[in-house]
Amino acid sequence: MTWLTSLPLWVQTFGLLTLSNLFMTMAWYGHLRHQSTQAWYVAALVSWGIALFEYLLQVPANRIGYAGGYSLAQLKIAQEVITLAVFVPFAVFYMGQPLKLDYLWAGLCLLGAVYFIFRS
């Protein structure tokens, strides 16, 4: 993974967090699309397997970011922004949920959180 270390710190940290969140969103919510044809314990085992890949990306992302100078709070708020940025397209395109204006308001609230946590 030497190519990864040649990237800027913010790309390493937030790129890996974004990739990890893609896996986690699928693990947490993807099974809902198939709940009528799949027993809950099968969904749980499949989700657990998907979540393994999430952790293989999330743990190094947080370690890289923390060692590089991001605070614990900054990493957490960034993760919440990434979660919403991944979740909205997932909900709309994969799960067929309607796009709501509430997603915009939630995003604006998170941008406020980003401002306050990164301003110092």
Side-chain angles (χ1 to χ4, degrees):
M1 273 203 174
T2 53
W3 63 270
L4 182 63
T5 57
S6 67
L7 297 172
L9 175 70
W10 69 270
V11 173
Q12 293 177 54
T13 302
F14 303 122
L16 286 172
L17 285 175
T18 300
L19 291 173
S20 76
N21 204 279
L22 290 168
F23 283 102
M24 202 64 203
T25 300
M26 186 58 75
W28 279 23
Y29 303 109
H31 61 87
L32 296 175
R33 189 171 171 183
H34 309 286
Q35 68 181 343
S36 63
T37 60
Q38 199 176 62
W40 73 266
Y41 53 86
V42 173
L45 290 172
V46 170
S47 293
W48 183 75
I50 294 169
L52 171 65
F53 293 103
E54 186 268 343
Y55 280 99
L56 292 174
L57 296 167
Q58 178 266 338
V59 169
N62 281 323
R63 290 173 68 100
I64 289 166
Y66 194 72
Y70 290 112
S71 72
L72 187 62
Q74 288 172 329
L75 290 168
K76 180 59 182 169
I77 294 299
Q79 179 60 50
E80 296 305 325
V81 171
I82 291 166
T83 296
L84 186 62
V86 168
F87 178 77
V88 171
F90 171 83
V92 172
F93 297 115
Y94 185 77
M95 296 297 291
Q97 299 291 305
L99 183 60
K100 296 181 178 181
L101 198 55
D102 289 342
Y103 295 139
L104 173 64
W105 306 136
L108 290 174
C109 289
L110 285 174
L111 286 178
V114 167
Y115 169 76
F116 287 112
I117 209 69
F118 280 91
R119 72 180 170 157
S120 56

